[in-house]
Amino acid sequence: MNKTSEIIAEVQKQGRKFLLEPEAKAICREYSIPVTKFTVAKSPKEAVEAAENIGYPVVLKIVSPDVVHKSDVGGVVLNLRSSEEVEKAYQQIIGNVKKHKPNAQITGVLVQEMAPSSTEIIVGVIKDPQFGHAIMFGLGGIFVELLKDVAFRLLPLTKEEAEEMITEIKAYPVLKGYRKTPPADIPAIIEILLNTSRLVTEHPEIQELDLNPIMVYTKGAKTVDARIILE
Ligand code: ADP
Ligand code: MG
């Protein structure tokens, strides 16, 4: 059994549907979808060790099967630059989660590389009862939320379709670069779309997938938050 099947089987065995961020990112990594470096820490000391291995600045996040939206419970602290800041953020996150959700089971705290700000894109997959899996692509923030500027295709996706999805959104000129915004690595986005298609096609038990946001650079890209929901 490959690693992705193992992770999914373990989640199902535990009676869960939502994958934890480290589980979802481990699966992404198996499919060559670029994600931030990460380690799950179980103590402030482990968090500092992880941060030193990854390199500052880092981000700390709650890992809990009972917390789906991590920021809503004070479970995300960005831009930590020293061991002191990491230790403090660890305690702060545990404290915040215990306050907001006293019964939440806490798996640990995710220590991850802080991705530099850049153009943000979103890749999603939903499963329609009639049409099956569809993949969505758009730019992050107001482009998706306010302007609904997104492209959809059914899976499996071809390279031509991936290219079309990128060029057909209204915000495409943003990806090509303008004024102070450098051009985004469009071949890297195409790879992400195709690898996401392959992942869900090979694991149709995935009901929903959300890579939001993915930072896209002039060279390469990095997924900052990944969610996977099983049927
Ligand atoms: P939530 O469960 O609340 O969606 P996220 O993991 O998406 O939590 O974190 C909230 C926000 O913090 C993200 O949308 C992103 O703007 C920022 N963020 C999270 N992780 C990173 C990271 N590794 N590097 C840079 N920014 C990050
Ligand atoms: Mg998020």
Side-chain angles (χ1 to χ4, degrees):
M1 199 157 51
N2 68 28
K3 185 145 187 233
T4 300
S5 305
E6 271 171 33
I7 293 172
I8 291 176
E10 179 58 30
V11 170
Q12 285 169 332
K13 200 176 110 196
Q14 291 177 17
R16 289 191 281 129
K17 280 187 173 183
F18 279 91
L19 273 64
L20 301 169
E21 183 178 330
E23 293 166 339
K25 280 189 172 170
I27 289 176
C28 288
R29 214 162 44 189
E30 285 298 298
Y31 279 84
S32 306
I33 297 164
V35 294
T36 50
K37 288 182 203 145
F38 66 89
T39 307
V40 179
K42 306 264 188 189
S43 68
K45 188 169 163 279
E46 278 184 27
V48 170
E49 276 168 20
E52 317 247 285
N53 279 330
I54 290 167
Y56 296 103
V58 294
V59 173
L60 260 57
K61 300 186 195 179
I62 190 67
V63 184
S64 163
D66 303 308
V67 175
V68 177
H69 297 286
K70 301 172 292 280
S71 337
D72 291 358
V73 296
V76 178
V77 187
L78 303 174
N79 206 20
L80 302 165
R81 302 187 160 271
S82 66
S83 55
E84 291 75 26
E85 286 184 15
V86 168
E87 274 183 39
K88 209 175 118 217
Y90 188 102
Q91 309 289 8
Q92 188 189 333
I93 284 175
I94 302 290
N96 285 344
V97 174
K98 287 197 166 146
K99 195 171 82 190
H100 284 94
K101 280 206 152 204
N103 297 323
Q105 181 201 323
I106 295 173
T107 310
V109 171
L110 189 62
V111 182
Q112 66 184 232
E113 127 189 55
M114 170 96 187
S117 298
S118 191
T119 304
E120 295 185 9
I121 61 161
I122 297 176
V123 172
V125 175
I126 49 158
K127 190 173 194 174
D128 181 88
Q130 199 175 350
F131 298 106
H133 285 110
I135 187 164
M136 186 210 83
F137 167 75
L139 262 66
I142 59 163
F143 292 101
V144 166
E145 282 159 29
L146 215 58
L147 305 173
K148 314 283 180 221
D149 180 22
V150 290
F152 281 97
R153 289 292 183 285
L154 293 177
L155 295 188
L157 194 67
T158 65
K159 183 150 191 236
E160 290 65 39
E161 286 174 315
E163 286 165 353
E164 281 166 20
M165 287 179 88
I166 295 170
T167 50
E168 79 183 36
I169 58 167
K170 293 195 193 71
Y172 175 56
V174 176
L175 295 175
K176 283 200 299 183
Y178 71 103
R179 294 192 195 165
K180 282 183 183 163
T181 308
D185 188 342
I186 290 173
I189 303 176
I190 294 171
E191 278 302 300
I192 293 173
L193 288 168
L194 291 174
N195 287 331
T196 303
S197 169
R198 194 162 54 85
L199 159 59
V200 179
T201 308
E202 288 176 12
H203 296 278
E205 65 274 33
I206 294 175
Q207 169 92 30
E208 231 178 281
L209 174 150
D210 200 19
L211 310 178
N212 177 10
I214 306 170
M215 302 285 186
V216 189
Y217 304 104
T218 304
K219 202 156 180 9
K222 223 151 243 184
T223 303
V224 154
D225 188 18
R227 252 186 252 291
I228 292 176
I229 306 173
L230 305 175
E231 300 184 297

